[in-house]
Amino acid sequence: WIPFNEGWGQFDTAKVVRYLRNFGGGRWIDAASGWNDVSDLHPGEDLGDLADVHNYEAPPFHNLTGTFSTWPLGFAGRALALGEYGGLGLPFEGHELLPDLSWAYGEAHPM
């Protein structure tokens, strides 16, 4: 279960995790995919099974190897997950529907 993504509409995270645990199914819970992890606000509470980060090659994580080395919160026995990564575009002339409207977090350049 992933009840919240990047903090959009996030509320009562620990309560939502408890609800999902009781709901059943034994699925893993990723309480907050992205960046709004609240483990520092609720020490010792069940906040899911994953510590999920999104990295787009920009601060605070920069490149992929920096993703979890700069994570400021504890993992509290949760698995680490890279929920989203990159968002890089590879513009290729003649293969874009609307070149002036193409968008990405950054651009990849062929070697």
Side-chain angles (χ1 to χ4, degrees):
W1 304 106
I2 305 174
F4 304 112
N5 181 54
E6 298 180 344
W8 291 91
Q10 188 169 344
F11 67 98
D12 294 335
T13 306
K15 186 184 287 186
V16 170
V17 169
R18 280 194 303 275
Y19 172 82
L20 291 172
R21 290 271 187 238
N22 292 329
F23 185 74
R27 295 181 184 181
W28 280 30
I29 298 171
D30 185 350
S33 179
W35 54 71
N36 209 17
D37 188 283
V38 294
S39 60
D40 58 330
L41 302 176
H42 303 279
E45 287 195 51
D46 180 5
L47 291 170
D49 303 299
L50 302 164
D52 182 327
V53 176
H54 295 179
N55 182 340
Y56 299 105
E57 295 279 322
F61 305 118
H62 301 289
N63 62 24
L64 184 60
T65 58
T67 302
F68 291 104
S69 63
T70 58
W71 180 251
L73 303 172
F75 303 118
R78 298 175 291 162
L80 306 179
L82 182 58
E84 293 180 16
Y85 175 74
L88 303 175
L90 177 60
F92 197 84
E93 189 174 334
H95 292 268
E96 295 175 90
L97 179 62
L98 301 169
D100 293 337
L101 298 177
S102 293
W103 180 87
Y105 288 102
E107 286 188 5
H109 298 282
M111 295 184 187

